[in-house]
Structures are given as C-alpha cells and as structure tokens.
Amino acid sequence: MLTVDGTQPISAELVARVGEACDRAETLGGQVVVYASGAPAQARTEGLTVALVSRWERALRRLERLPVALVAVAEGDVGGPALDALLTTDYRIATPSARLVVPVGTGATWPGMALYRLAHQGSHTAAVRRALLFGDPIGARDALALQLLDEVTDDVTGALEAVAGLTGSLSGKELAIRRQLMLDAGTVSFEEALGGHLAACDRTLRQAAV
C-alpha cells in the first residue's frame, strides 16, 4: 500500500516512500494499491528543484514498471503528486467525490509528466485540454467517460476485492511486459514495436511448451 497526499509538495521523503513501496513489491509480489487524495490550492514550488522533480519522475517511472498489478483508489480532489501517482496505475477506482486536478501557479498549470500522461491516456478531448491548459478539474463521471478511471463506486472495499480476483492469477512479470508494450504502442512505429512483441510471443510459447 502506498498513500500519496496531493496537498503535500514533492519531497525527498516522498521519493523515498515510493522507492520503499517498489522494493517491497519487487520482493513480495502481489499488487500495489495506491491511495491518492488531496490537491494543492495552487502549484507548490517552494523548495523544488529540477533535480528533485527528476528524482520524483524517475521514482514514478519505476513504480509504473513494477512486475505487479498497480491499483489506485482516488477520493476527493486528486492533484499534485497524488495525480502523478494515480496516472501510473493499471486499474483506477474512484469514489463519486473524486476530481482530477492539474494545479495552477505562477500564471500556468504545473508542466510535470502528469500533463504527458493525461494527454496520452485521455486523448485530446475538450475536457482534457481544459484541464491541461487551464486547470479545469475533471469530475469522476467525466474521468470515467474519458477512460482515465476504470470504476466509480462507493464500495471501495468490494471493488478492491473484485480487482484482486481479476489480477490474482496473472504473472506480475508477464503483466509488466504487456504494460510496457501497451505504453510503447502510442510512441513507436509498427516496425519498431514488432521486435518487442515477437520476443514476448516467443517467451509465451516457450513457457507453454514447458
């Protein structure tokens, strides 16, 4: 379990907590549940450096590549680092109160990798465009329609149990390979992707033959 409070700024402590969660997941397997909630009133820049932001983004990239299922639970306004973490996950559960919020500060929205993930995952719809450019929140139902969320429910416990049943029989390592193939699909050509897909097919065929 990893809890990310979006009201708090990016910090070395937060980077370390994500790293610790990744260490546990790599050792124990299973799945990681990210509880994402809270959003800053405006983009928080106090104490931030490009080096710290880079460390945060690398920690998220490690989370995104873990050989386990990544499940998020979103409640209330979700912005800042909470939104960053949410957008790395495979399956996203939200309560009806959830809103995805891109923080605004110093005259514009925060230009972190959440903008990149929102644009790729939510397509270039009007709602996503307004969120990215103007910080207009995306409510839970709209986020569900945009496929930025998988489920909106008041029964979070039941939803987590259902997801555990969905992912429980899957190999975390194989899931991670398919996740990466899926992420690459939007940025590489067919010819560039073919080698990776053939290697994954070969791996599957070898496992089936054992």
Side-chain angles (χ1 to χ4, degrees):
M1 185 179 73
L2 173 65
T3 300
V4 183
D5 181 356
T7 65
Q8 299 300 308
I10 297 168
S11 64
E13 178 191 8
L14 178 58
V15 172
R17 285 201 290 111
V18 173
E20 290 166 2
C22 291
D23 290 341
R24 291 195 300 273
E26 289 171 347
T27 301
L28 302 175
Q31 68 179 18
V32 173
V33 179
V34 178
Y35 288 90
S37 65
Q42 61 181 15
R44 303 278 295 272
T45 58
E46 304 89 356
L48 275 185
T49 65
V50 171
L52 179 56
V53 175
S54 177
R55 287 176 58 198
W56 168 241
E57 297 293 359
R58 288 199 301 272
L60 291 175
R61 189 60 168 160
R62 182 184 174 195
L63 179 67
E64 192 173 41
R65 291 179 168 179
L66 283 176
V68 298
L70 306 173
V71 181
V73 175
E75 184 172 6
D77 282 358
V78 179
L83 179 61
D84 292 339
L86 171 77
L87 294 174
T88 67
T89 57
D90 301 317
Y91 195 95
R92 301 159 192 176
I93 301 162
T95 63
S97 67
R99 299 194 309 168
L100 309 187
V101 182
V102 179
V104 177
T106 62
T109 53
W110 175 248
M113 289 298 287
L115 270 67
Y116 174 90
R117 290 187 172 95
L118 276 171
H120 276 263
Q121 298 173 19
S123 189
H124 296 285
T125 62
V128 170
R129 187 171 64 250
R130 290 194 303 271
L132 298 183
L133 297 179
F134 312 126
D136 191 25
I138 303 174
R141 295 297 175 186
D142 287 337
L144 182 66
L146 291 167
Q147 300 181 39
L148 293 168
L149 298 174
D150 293 280
E151 186 174 352
V152 176
T153 180
D154 286 312
D155 183 11
V156 171
T157 300
L160 285 172
E161 290 174 353
V163 175
L166 178 68
T167 64
S169 63
L170 300 177
S171 161
K173 190 166 186 178
E174 295 302 317
L175 185 150
I177 290 171
R178 284 146 184 79
R179 180 196 298 134
Q180 191 58 50
L181 292 172
M182 179 184 68
L183 292 173
D184 290 344
T187 58
V188 303
S189 68
F190 177 89
E191 289 75 16
E192 291 174 309
L194 180 59
H197 282 267
L198 289 176
C201 291
D202 180 64
R203 178 184 175 88
T204 300
L205 292 171
R206 289 175 183 273
Q207 290 172 341
V210 173

